[in-house]
Amino acid sequence: MSMTFSTRRVASAAAVAASLGALALGGLSPAQAASPAAAPAAVSAVTATSTVGSQITRQEILERAQFWVDNAVPYNQGATAKDPQGRYYRTDCSGLVSMAWHLNTSAVTWTLPDYSTKLSSYDQLLPGDALNNVNAHVVLFDKWVDSSHTEMWIYEHARPGTNARHIKVTRSYMQGEGMSAYRYNKVAESPATVKDTGMTDVTAVGDITGDGVGDVIAVDSATGDLYRYSGPNFTGGAARVKIGTNWDTMGTIVGVGDQNGDGKGDIIAVENSTGDLYRYYGPSYSGSNRVKVGTNWDSMHGIASVGDITGDGKGDIIAVETATGNLYRYSGPSYGGSTRVQIGTGWNIYSTIVGVGNITGDGKADIVAVETSTGNLYRYSGPNFNGGTRVQIGTNWDSMINLTGPGDLDKDGVPDLLAVNASTGNLYRYSGPGFTGSSAVQIGVKW
């Protein structure tokens, strides 16, 4: 069977991402909802045990997807349709997955990884997981056809002129289309136990405990609680301290250094439901000191801290505009649109972008980026991170998640890198400047 999304990839990745990114700029009103072609007889068949943005069973995920199939909901990026509880979601590929997972927003292919954990193999797929090429298309996995895992059933919203559908495809075709496996962080495993998917949004925040060693914060994906881990090994026990709740409502958490002059590292984070950007002051990052500093930041991805590259004494950030793939620099502490400067193009090819500090010795902060199509790791030198400074320094980095730059942990004078193996949940420290496999030291489990 010929898959429909292959026609999209004839176009450039930037053009595809532009169409997806444009959808992230704002929600559509209920008045634009598509009218179902069939009576909603499937409503009563859905086991509605979840609430929006909460834990959800695999059975309910599949039943919600089937609801759109049963109602012949047509594909239309400019429209929305109701879920079984009457909430509206955009009627395209990522809208279907957002609806099935019962998210609080219609995500796009680029932002669905914010709600999920990347799996290391197709063989780990379970009902309700997703297969996503962040540059092109996403589908919902139902089940394997055979024990050898060569064919699968999926739920898909494909293209204009088609309805939500349940179809059979081959594993080899999906792999050829660059689809990676993801698991929703709030899926509830049966019976009545929740899979511990570890920590998300692992973020280096500098030394906030005063012991001279950089610390990290991370969100427990099972509870939404925010924890602080003390360096250099970031172990559990006494090193782990709960400092917040309900952080599963926030995404793209980035450490931006000391913005208010109190000597403690601050962070910024995007609110999932609104796209608003907030700054939180360290060391507690409590809601009482939260300041709104921007809007429409759900139209951006790859937000990374790059230190003070403008020389004004405040930490700056870079971010990729999803609709265009353009790379922009924003100056702190407000990161307002008036400070925005375009410094690159074609950055939609990367799944992960991380600031790692000065690893080239030129006094300017550098970044590393994982290329989606290859898993290769590249280093770009600041302050402009242009293509002429790109150097490949690793392979197979698509097997790692939650990359963050914690500074110099091994005291060799060069910043290091932290990363979690998606398959095992083990936390590793990589020594700069190359972050080679030979430098990897396992320093944690269940991340």
Side-chain angles (χ1 to χ4, degrees):
M1 172 178 289
S2 174
M3 285 289 289
T4 58
F5 60 84
S6 61
T7 59
R8 303 183 192 186
R9 297 189 64 194
V10 175
S12 67
V16 175
S19 66
L20 293 171
L23 298 171
L25 295 175
L28 298 169
S29 69
Q32 295 173 288
S35 299
V43 174
S44 61
V46 177
T47 308
T49 59
S50 69
T51 57
V52 63
S54 71
Q55 292 176 5
I56 185 171
T57 65
R58 296 187 181 281
Q59 178 184 355
E60 186 177 352
I61 290 173
L62 297 181
E63 289 174 347
R64 289 172 65 84
Q66 185 65 43
F67 176 76
W68 271 15
V69 173
D70 291 344
N71 286 279
V73 174
Y75 181 102
N76 185 345
Q77 288 186 335
T80 59
K82 290 181 180 180
D83 73 351
Q85 287 75 46
R87 186 180 182 88
Y88 286 86
Y89 290 87
R90 193 179 58 251
T91 52
D92 62 1
C93 64
S94 48
L96 182 146
V97 174
S98 300
M99 186 276 296
W101 283 355
H102 211 172
L103 300 185
N104 54 13
T105 186
S106 293
V108 294
T109 54
W110 276 111
T111 58
L112 280 171
D114 294 339
Y115 301 90
S116 56
T117 298
K118 191 174 184 179
L119 306 178
S120 62
S121 169
Y122 277 21
D123 294 316
Q124 293 180 299
L125 284 166
L126 295 174
D129 293 339
L131 288 158
N132 189 6
N133 178 334
V134 296
N135 289 322
H137 192 52
V138 64
V139 302
L140 193 74
F141 177 81
D142 177 10
K143 60 187 176 183
W144 292 106
V145 175
D146 50 9
S147 60
S148 59
H149 292 184
T150 58
E151 291 185 297
M152 67 183 78
W153 284 94
I154 62 169
Y155 287 95
E156 179 192 39
H157 237 157
R159 68 179 189 278
T162 65
N163 297 334
R165 62 188 188 178
H166 187 223
I167 62 170
K168 184 169 64 174
V169 298
T170 66
R171 176 188 183 129
S172 61
Y173 193 91
M174 300 297 280
Q175 290 173 324
E177 293 298 318
M179 308 289 275
S180 297
Y182 288 87
R183 177 160 299 154
Y184 181 40
N185 290 334
K186 292 187 177 181
V187 66
E189 306 295 353
S190 181
T193 60
V194 179
K195 181 178 176 60
D196 180 8
T197 54
M199 309 304 291
T200 62
D201 289 302
V202 179
T203 306
V205 291
D207 176 22
I208 57 175
T209 58
D211 62 358
V213 182
D215 307 309
V216 303
I217 58 173
V219 178
D220 189 318
S221 59
T223 65
D225 294 336
L226 181 70
Y227 287 87
R228 183 193 72 224
Y229 291 80
S230 298
N233 291 324
F234 313 108
T235 56
R240 169 170 148 146
V241 178
K242 181 177 173 180
I243 59 174
T245 58
N246 298 318
W247 277 81
D248 49 352
T249 63
M250 309 299 292
T252 320
I253 302 172
V254 179
V256 292
D258 180 16
Q259 299 287 322
N260 63 346
D262 65 355
K264 301 296 183 183
D266 306 316
I267 63 172
I268 56 174
V270 179
E271 189 172 57
N272 292 328
S273 62
T274 63
D276 293 337
L277 182 70
Y278 289 87
R279 183 182 63 232
Y280 294 78
Y281 294 119
S284 63
Y285 312 113
S286 67
S288 62
N289 63 35
R290 160 172 141 153
V291 178
K292 181 177 175 179
V293 295
T295 59
N296 297 321
W297 276 82
D298 49 357
S299 66
M300 311 296 292
H301 70 274
I303 304 173
S305 177
V306 291
D308 177 21
I309 58 176
T310 59
D312 64 357
K314 299 294 184 182
D316 306 312
I317 63 172
I318 58 173
V320 179
E321 187 175 58
T322 304
T324 64
N326 293 336
L327 181 69
Y328 291 90
R329 184 192 72 224
Y330 293 79
S331 298
S334 65
Y335 311 109
S338 62
T339 72
R340 167 169 144 153
V341 177
Q342 183 179 337
I343 58 175
T345 60
W347 281 77
N348 273 341
I349 65 173
Y350 295 108
S351 60
T352 303
I353 300 172
V354 180
V356 291
N358 178 27
I359 57 176
T360 58
D362 63 357
K364 297 293 185 181
D366 307 308
I367 64 172
V368 294
V370 179
E371 190 173 52
T372 303
S373 62
T374 65
N376 292 338
L377 183 71
Y378 291 91
R379 183 194 73 224
Y380 285 81
S381 297
N384 291 323
F385 314 109
N386 60 59
T389 69
R390 170 172 137 152
V391 178
Q392 183 180 334
I393 58 174
T395 59
N396 300 318
W397 278 81
D398 49 355
S399 65
M400 308 301 288
I401 57 175
N402 283 320
L403 279 64
T404 191
D408 180 17
L409 297 176
D410 57 10
K411 303 302 181 183
D412 64 354
V414 183
D416 305 314
L417 181 67
L418 296 180
V420 177
N421 184 286
S423 177
T424 65
N426 294 336
L427 177 69
Y428 290 88
R429 184 193 72 224
Y430 291 81
S431 296
F435 312 118
T436 60
S438 61
S439 74
V441 177
Q442 182 181 331
I443 58 175
V445 297
K446 296 182 179 180
W447 277 78

